[in-house]
Structures are given as C-alpha cells and as structure tokens.
Amino acid sequence: MVKMVVIPLFFIAALLCSPSSRAADFCVGDLKGPTSPAGYSCKDPAKVTVDDFVYSGLAAVGNTSNLIKASVAPAFAAQFPGLNGLGISVARLDLAPGGVIPFHTHPAGNEVLIVLQGVICAGFVDTANKVYLKTLNKGDTMIFPTGLLHFQVNGGGSLATAIVSFSSSQPGLQLLDYVLFANDLPSLLVEKTTFLDDAQVKKLKGALGGTN
Ligand SMILES: *[C@@H]1O[C@H](CO)[C@@H](O)[C@H](O)[C@H]1NC(C)=O
C-alpha cells in the first residue's frame, strides 16, 4: 500500500523537476526588476500582450556616420523583453562602404549571420589560432561559434546589411579594440600586453576615447 502511494509521488516529483517541464509558456522580461545571467524576472503574465512579442527596432537602416562606418542594432532581452528566457536573440548589421564591425566576441551565444544585401567579408579565429575567412554575398549564411573573436567588413562598394541571430537572449558583446583602447587601462600596460608602441596606443586611445 505504501509503495503504491510512493511511486506516483515519485513520478509527479520527477515531472516537476525535469528540465523539459515548463512552469510557464514564456517569461517576458521585467526590465525594472532584477537581472542575472539567467535573464530578467518575469513580467506579470496577465499584463503581457502581443506587442511584447513584436519588435520594430530592426526595420530601419542604422546610422553609419561614425568611426566604424557601421551600425549594430541589437534585439537582445534588454531591447526586446519578449525574448527573455527563450535562448534566442537577433540583431541587424549595416555596413556602409568601408565599414567594419571590429574584432569582437559574444561570450554567451553562438551566432548565425545571413546577408540581406551587399558583400560582407567575415571571419573568425579559433582557439588553435586558425583563421576562417569568407566573402559572403546576398543570401549567404555563416556561423560564428560562442566566444570566438570574429569580425565583419564591407567587401563591396555599397551598403551591406545582415541579420544575425544568437543562441541566447543575452549573448553579450565585447569589442577587442574597446577593451584595449576605450577605457582607462594605463597605456603602459596596454603596450606591455599588446607589444604595440606608445605612439600607436596613444593614437588609438585618442580615436576611441580611452584615457591614461
Ligand atoms: C547619425 O549619427 C551622427 C553622429 O552621431 C549624427 O551627427 C547624425 O545626426 C545622425 N544622423 C541621423 C540621421 O540620425
């Protein structure tokens, strides 16, 4: 008799604890609430509407009047809270002629890039220091595995646009040049750790807004 009760209880407990069990259909991010690497806390489901699942911020060409002649419009959980907890996100890249998305990494997400228009020269470097480089045309798709440094450069004479999507709603973005030249890390340490000379480091800090 005890056994007959214990076994169903065990199954119910296993169902509740299994990773595939779903406590809710979604968890639209509450941007005013606390956040963690796992994401934002959930907005009250009674207040969720279809507009929480629609984002129009990728519709327009981005402003490329800047140093890199390029624009990145992210639709990560912070911009598009409907993505929160779903393990996906998306962004739009626009590269004017001569534009570049400098070497960067997404610490928490694989990336897939689809070229919508123009030509993009893209590449990444793996942890064995091997280079994977390709010129991509309209419709071409390329993958950039989690954490690996990669870049995109306009490879043609006209605007190039791509949609990139990620296997995380908070993939993160860290740009190598910004790490080295856009903060207050002392120039002497930048020189020590990069083998660049003082003049070059000062020049790049000047261009990217770094100090020290
Ligand atoms: C694009 O960005 C530049 C530099 O920030 C700014 O001066 C310009 O007004 C912007 N253009 C548009 C159309 O928003």
Side-chain angles (χ1 to χ4, degrees), residues 11-192:
F11 274 114
I12 290 164
L15 275 175
L16 289 174
C17 298
S18 88
S20 60
S21 77
R22 291 164 61 91
D25 291 332
F26 46 74
C27 173
V28 173
D30 175 4
L31 300 191
K32 291 188 217 100
T35 185
S36 75
Y40 293 93
S41 55
C42 307
K43 180 175 170 179
D44 177 359
K47 295 194 175 130
V48 169
T49 73
V50 65
D51 290 332
D52 287 304
F53 301 105
V54 176
Y55 184 66
S56 300
L58 306 187
V61 179
N63 185 341
T64 58
S65 300
N66 51 48
L67 183 70
I68 61 174
K69 299 194 176 96
S71 144
V72 180
F76 298 171
Q79 295 81 28
F80 189 6
L83 292 166
N84 186 56
L86 300 184
I88 53 167
S89 60
V90 63
R92 173 182 177 138
L93 308 184
D94 290 297
L95 295 128
V100 53
I101 312 289
F103 259 121
H104 63 280
T105 161
H106 307 286
N110 296 297
E111 171 177 343
V112 56
L113 175 150
I114 305 168
V115 180
L116 299 187
Q117 65 175 328
V119 180
I120 293 177
C121 174
F124 68 87
V125 183
D126 70 14
T127 57
N129 211 27
K130 182 175 172 184
V131 176
Y132 301 81
L133 185 62
K134 193 76 178 176
T135 297
L136 306 169
N137 296 291
K138 180 177 175 178
D140 286 341
T141 301
M142 184 166 174
I143 287 163
F144 306 90
T146 298
L148 300 183
L149 281 162
H150 59 284
F151 64 86
Q152 290 97 16
V153 172
N154 190 324
S158 61
L159 179 73
T161 301
I163 292 292
V164 289
S165 67
F166 299 92
S167 60
S168 164
S169 24
Q170 300 190 108
L173 168 64
Q174 188 167 40
L175 285 137
L176 181 58
D177 283 325
Y178 286 49
V179 167
L180 294 171
F181 309 115
N183 54 33
D184 61 0
L185 182 62
S187 294
L188 198 60
L189 281 173
V190 178
E191 289 152 28
K192 276 267 186 221

Side-chain angles (χ1 to χ4, degrees), residues 67-68 177-178 181-182 200-210:
L67 183 70
I68 61 174
D177 283 325
Y178 286 49
F181 309 115
Q200 188 66 45
V201 168
K202 295 268 163 63
K203 181 182 154 194
L204 287 164
K205 276 190 175 251
L208 292 167

